[in-house]
Amino acid sequence: MTEARGPKAHERSPAGAEPVDPARPADQTPAEASGTPSAGGHPQAETPDAPPADEHLRVESQARKPAASQGPLARFGQARHLGLVAALVLLAIVGLITQPDSFATASNLVNILSLASTIGVITVGMTFVIIGGGIDLSVGALMALASVWATTLATQSYGPFVMILCALLVGAGAGLVNGFLISYGRMVPFIATLAMLVAARGLAQRMSDRKTQLIQQGNELIVELSTTRVLGLPVLVYIFALVVAVGWVLLNRTTFGRRTYAVGGNPEAARLAGIDVRRHTLLLYALSGLCCGIAAVLIMARTTTGSSTHGDLYELDAIAAVIIGGTLLTGGRGTIIGSILGLLIFTVITNLFILNGLNTSDQLIAKGLIIVVAVLLQRRSLESRT
Amino acid sequence: MVADPPLLLMRGIVKQFPGVRALDGVDLEVRRGEVHCLLGQNGAGKSTLIKILAGAHQPDEGVITLDGEEVRLVTPTAAIKLGVSTIYQELDLVDGLSVAENIFLGHEPGRLGFIRQSDANRATRDLMTRLGHPEIRPTTEVGRLSPAAKQVVSMARALSHDTRLIIMDEPSAALAHDEVANLFRIVRELTAQGVAVVYISHRLEEIREIGDRVTVLKDGRTVAVGLPAKETPTSEVVSLMTGRTVEYVFPPRRTEPATGPEVLRVEGLTVPGVVADVSFVVRAGEIVGLAGLVGSGRSEIIEAVYGARRSSGKIVLEGRPVRRGTADTVRRGMGLAPEERKAQALLLDQSVAHNITLAGLGRYARFGWIDRRREAAEARTLIETLDIRPGDPDRPVKTLSGGNQQKAVLARWLVDDRKLLLLDEPTRGVDVGARAELYAVIRKLADQGIGVLLVSSEVPEVLGLADRVLVVREGRIIHQSAADDLDEHQVLDMIMEGSAL
């Protein structure tokens, strides 16, 4: 603030032009500048308008400052992501120290990314729903249902493309049902998607008769998504990256994304601004369902199966990733990048525990602690800002 | 009576809020067993005074004495302990709890955290009998009660403490006619038992019926103390309330009545229970003001026109009827600056620019893709046009002052061509200097050919800004004429007493 104020004060004050005390600091405040000239010879002319000019400058400099760095929110966002990146780096260092031979290997890193891909795609959809002020508990179950539906003998007989299409349609369709119940049926998102979680899991069990359905010969194209590598990475990682990129663009560069923030941040204001809040909510859940469909294709590729047990508790991992990433559970605020970083932190932790041969129970405890610490840190940085 | 000190004595109460001097030397004297009425226009300082009595606000200056003893009402609990209970306008009962649980909430009879429910129930039954409502049972869930019965429960809660003074903030606002009669009966019984009541109402006829003495507030000062409620003529009360000391600067009105095309035609608009059979017209370039009390139906009229509220009747925008739902009315060219700026209009965490472009976003977007450069340029232009300060488009809107936030809401509707702007209390929470600027902006918009429908609780604002005034009372338009033909006195008379010219 003093930098913006100092030079201007000198322009204004005749004291600056006069041979004044050279010992006076260059960045003196205007109050000092207009106070001392009484020795210089113009005592009365300057003083009356000095305080308002100072006030004006102060306001202006405050207003100008954030503009230079693209707004305080953007800056804050970067800082927050910085914290997540730092956490990730820290975990990598722990990995390098404890398992120098196996952690930094190409196969382990590919493994981490492949693992992250399935939940990652779901996390993108979940980020939209949560920013839009809702929650989707049914994601894991929808992924299971889509994987089962796409791998029934009947569907498989149409070939791999129809299987993929089937998974996407089942996911999006079930998401639409969620959205319809919530927006037009006025059900609480928690309840509507909880019902969907239970029902979809049950339907998946019935369809598969609780058996794991293998991908048949002739449909290996789907499996090849995980076995074919481009530049050392399996195709499914690229699919994950694509979903993240499309999600980012949709959220940050389109009217749909902007309205998602509005609907989640203040639904009444959104409605009174002429946004069709119900239709928007419906679309958010459909989007989340579609992401589950994509995730179903990825898990089919990774496991070569469709099963009603796929994706158990994925909803919790996805929600946790979104929260660690800094998205408010009350809606209206959040980022895709944050969610993905949150997810990677989770995946790397899992990986570290496995590499070090530690108990999975300890792993769960660690994850729980991380959620708490992340949220506490975010709240502190939020409070220090306002 | 003469020898006795008054029950409550407030002297020179001053309360300063950022930018506003809400109370500027208020005196109040309440005697034992009287119904003392507090009168004043919106913004006169009544609510602040009540909150000080309830212990919710602390006065910056002034002395409060109860029964001759100087007291400090530091917290709501302290006020209650001293025997001062407040019944707020919005009843603060918990719907999911029973009558008895509500009454003894926070001071449950019992020991070690275990509530002795039978004691609570018995005490509740006694209170209800005392209030003349033995039919309200202690175990009934409060959510199932009528508004009138809830009022009785609130009163019972006040009496469950050892109360000397009950403050009632517009207790009749939510009540039907016969329920008001019952309320008065209870008030009379209380005063007969020596309890004093401070009664706040906008309805003069009620004050005549129930009140003993009247204190009038205006612009944060006491302008009359202890007028006899029954004998003081209405004209005297009204002129005490009006003739404000703060003069607002209004932009010049249209020189001749608007003859432009009809932008809005409303016929037989009815919102069940709130608005009955309202018809009017707004022409291009005209500012039409709706004057009326809170709860008179004025805001509901605006919301119904905007499609944000279920209604029957005909709403025609530029010759074509509108469909229900804000998506349609906004597309057709309406814009609303709602009453509760923060709750209903703004995305507080988002930037000024994003708030401005929210409704007109489609204008900068092709197939949903936002042209961010055009968006930012347009936001910057509007920030300059309306002189929103500080002029940084990326600043979170919550850091702006009330007046500048309101300008941001107005800017939202200037993004593309609007035909009709609906402004609900556009200057609420805006300081005097910023008001003049807002008035100028609104007039400029009308001069550009936009029709404006304005709601305000402040009669001078409606009279100063609008070309034509519609007076709303109890859901009906009881009078309309050019603003020049009316003065504040006449309008207040109509609003409060329903007397026609």
Side-chain angles (χ1 to χ4, degrees), chain B residues 229-284:
Chain B
K230 306 239 171 2
E231 291 87 40
T232 315
T234 305
S235 62
E236 192 185 328
V237 174
V238 168
S239 46
L240 279 169
M241 289 167 62
T242 59
R244 37 181 62 234
T245 46
V246 185
E247 278 303 322
Y248 297 135
V249 187
F250 291 103
R253 240 193 285 273
R254 311 178 53 96
T255 41
E256 57 209 58
T259 52
E262 278 178 19
V263 178
L264 175 74
R265 168 171 282 277
V266 174
E267 280 174 16
L269 180 74
T270 300
V271 179
V274 197
V275 177
D277 195 23
V278 160
S279 304
F280 60 91
V281 168
V282 179
R283 291 183 185 279

Side-chain angles (χ1 to χ4, degrees), chain B residues 434-472:
Chain B
R435 280 178 182 225
E437 284 180 47
L438 272 174
Y439 295 146
V441 169
I442 293 168
R443 175 52 72 186
K444 207 168 104 195
L445 293 174
D447 287 343
Q448 288 164 11
I450 298 175
V452 177
L453 190 57
L454 165 88
V455 157
S456 174
S457 303
E458 297 186 28
V459 174
E461 183 168 290
V462 176
L463 287 176
L465 192 57
D467 298 304
R468 219 147 42 79
V469 175
L470 315 178
V471 180
V472 187

Side-chain angles (χ1 to χ4, degrees), chain A residues 7-363:
Chain A
K8 209 66 183 276
H10 281 282
E11 276 164 38
R12 192 172 44 77
S13 166
E18 283 170 23
V20 285
D21 182 6
R24 208 197 283 171
D27 63 343
Q28 63 182 204
T29 64
E32 287 164 339
S34 57
T36 33
S38 53
H42 301 280
Q44 292 310 317
E46 279 315 301
T47 2
D49 67 350
D54 172 37
E55 176 61 17
H56 195 63
L57 276 177
R58 193 181 62 78
V59 171
E60 267 187 0
S61 69
Q62 267 184 354
R64 221 176 3 230
K65 262 197 149 178
S69 57
Q70 283 215 329
L73 268 183
R75 243 183 358 183
F76 171 63
Q78 285 152 11
R80 187 177 54 196
H81 290 165
L82 222 66
L84 292 172
V85 171
L88 210 48
V89 170
L90 201 72
L91 287 173
I93 292 171
V94 171
L96 285 173
I97 293 171
T98 56
Q99 297 290 325
D101 300 330
S102 51
F103 181 75
T105 56
S107 74
N108 187 46
L109 294 182
V110 166
N111 189 20
I112 290 175
L113 281 178
S114 303
L115 266 174
S117 296
T118 323
I119 304 186
V121 170
I122 290 176
T123 303
V124 171
M126 186 69 84
T127 307
F128 273 89
V129 169
I130 293 181
I131 292 176
I135 191 108
D136 190 348
L137 299 179
S138 66
V139 285
L142 288 191
M143 189 187 82
L145 178 63
S147 77
V148 166
W149 205 314
T151 51
T152 56
L153 289 175
T155 319
Q156 292 217 34
S157 66
Y158 290 101
F161 291 106
V162 172
M163 287 167 69
I164 291 173
L165 188 68
C166 172
L168 301 186
L169 282 179
V170 168
L176 267 177
V177 173
N178 274 338
F180 191 81
L181 290 175
I182 290 159
S183 58
Y184 294 93
R186 298 190 186 186
M187 281 177 77
V188 180
F190 190 95
I191 295 170
T193 58
L194 181 65
M196 179 59 83
L197 181 162
V198 178
R201 194 68 78 185
L203 184 58
Q205 285 178 2
R206 277 204 81 150
M207 286 185 84
S208 63
D209 213 8
R210 301 194 180 207
K211 290 186 180 109
T212 303
Q213 299 173 345
L214 281 172
I215 290 180
Q216 308 283 304
Q217 268 189 348
N219 292 333
E220 290 92 352
L221 183 82
I222 289 178
V223 182
E224 282 166 13
L225 290 177
S226 75
T227 53
T228 311
R229 298 200 172 192
V230 179
L231 300 173
L233 288 172
V235 175
L236 62 87
V237 173
Y238 289 99
I239 296 177
F240 168 44
L242 185 71
V243 170
V244 171
V246 170
W248 188 88
V249 166
L250 191 61
L251 190 60
N252 292 291
R253 291 288 181 270
T254 69
T255 53
F256 183 84
R258 191 70 69 72
R259 285 173 185 158
T260 302
Y261 283 105
V263 166
N266 190 342
E268 176 71 356
R271 183 177 78 106
L272 292 178
I275 295 169
D276 192 335
V277 174
R278 287 202 212 173
R279 199 185 63 192
H280 198 93
T281 307
L282 178 74
L283 291 176
L284 285 174
Y285 287 94
L287 181 70
S288 175
L290 180 65
C291 287
C292 297
I294 299 171
V297 175
L298 300 187
I299 198 130
M300 278 150 53
R302 261 183 44 217
T303 63
T304 71
T305 61
S307 163
S308 61
T309 58
H310 278 334
D312 196 26
L313 297 183
Y314 271 26
E315 57 276 0
L316 297 187
D317 279 353
I319 292 169
V322 171
I323 290 170
I324 292 174
T327 297
L328 284 187
L329 210 49
T330 46
R333 218 169 355 179
T335 59
I336 296 261
I337 306 295
S339 300
I340 297 307
L341 287 172
L343 177 72
L344 286 178
I345 289 175
F346 253 38
T347 319
V348 172
I349 287 177
T350 311
N351 184 258
L352 286 176
F353 272 83
I354 292 170
L355 287 182
N356 287 301
L358 291 170
N359 197 326
T360 45
S361 315
D362 295 340
Q363 177 187 327

Side-chain angles (χ1 to χ4, degrees), chain B residues 10 15 17 23 38 45-59 64 73-76 79 84 86 88 90 167 169 200:
Chain B
M10 296 175 96
K15 178 70 189 176
F17 288 115
L23 295 181
L38 206 51
K46 294 180 309 239
S47 316
T48 314
L49 189 66
I50 296 167
K51 287 198 177 135
I52 285 175
L53 270 178
H57 284 334
Q58 296 308 308
I64 305 172
L73 308 166
V74 214
T75 60
V84 180
T86 309
Y88 288 105
E90 299 86 21
I167 298 147
D169 189 4
I200 290 139

